[in-house]
Amino acid sequence: MSEEVDKICQQSLKDNADYLFEAVQAYCPVDTGNMLEHLEKDMTHIKRGKVVIGFRKDESMMAHDRRQTYAEIVQKGSKPHKIKAKNAPNLAIPIETFKEPVRKTERVKNGKFITKEVNHPGTKPNDFMQKAIDETLRAKV
């Protein structure tokens, strides 16, 4: 009977983890798709009652300061800050991302504003992981 209870519990955990994973995918903001591509679900310890849902950390997921991932910054938000060109002589920022019209049109090439640095206005927090958890709790508990 103990094995049957274990099977029921593992199946319930798997079902809830699958639902949560799909909710995180739905709430995950998509710009380039990089964050969503790094989302993963680890079920290797399900027999011990543990499932991990999170973001694989690699170089493409690290923020400019290399102390946080983009997912952490999206969830917590960021203060206004400068972004400087590091791996190239200039930044090339798509002009459609600007909130105001570009005044220095001589710096626009192929629809991108070319500069060595930019003042980023910061971002508001978007705790999409918590939204997915809350939805899962409402739906499954």
Side-chain angles (χ1 to χ4, degrees), residues 8-73:
I8 292 168
C9 290
Q10 285 174 23
Q11 186 60 49
S12 177
L13 178 58
K14 182 190 177 309
D15 292 346
N16 286 324
D18 289 344
Y19 189 96
L20 176 58
F21 187 75
E22 289 177 16
V24 172
Q25 288 177 314
Y27 282 106
C28 183
V30 178
D31 182 16
T32 63
N34 191 35
M35 253 193 339
L36 202 52
E37 288 174 14
H38 283 75
L39 181 63
E40 55 188 21
K41 175 176 54 176
D42 180 357
M43 306 279 273
T44 56
H45 300 292
I46 195 165
K47 287 186 178 183
R48 289 190 261 155
K50 182 178 179 181
V51 174
V52 177
I53 295 174
F55 294 91
R56 184 176 66 256
K57 290 183 181 178
D58 67 21
E59 196 61 27
S60 69
M61 275 295 287
M62 298 308 290
H64 297 288
D65 65 6
R66 301 291 185 244
R67 292 189 307 255
Q68 290 182 298
T69 65
Y70 282 114
E72 292 168 317
I73 291 172

Side-chain angles (χ1 to χ4, degrees), residues 5 12 24-25 36 51 53 60 86 88 93-94 116 118-119 126 136:
V5 171
S12 177
V24 172
Q25 288 177 314
L36 202 52
V51 174
I53 295 174
S60 69
K86 287 186 178 179
I93 305 161
K116 294 203 179 297
V118 67
N119 291 321
N126 177 357
T136 303

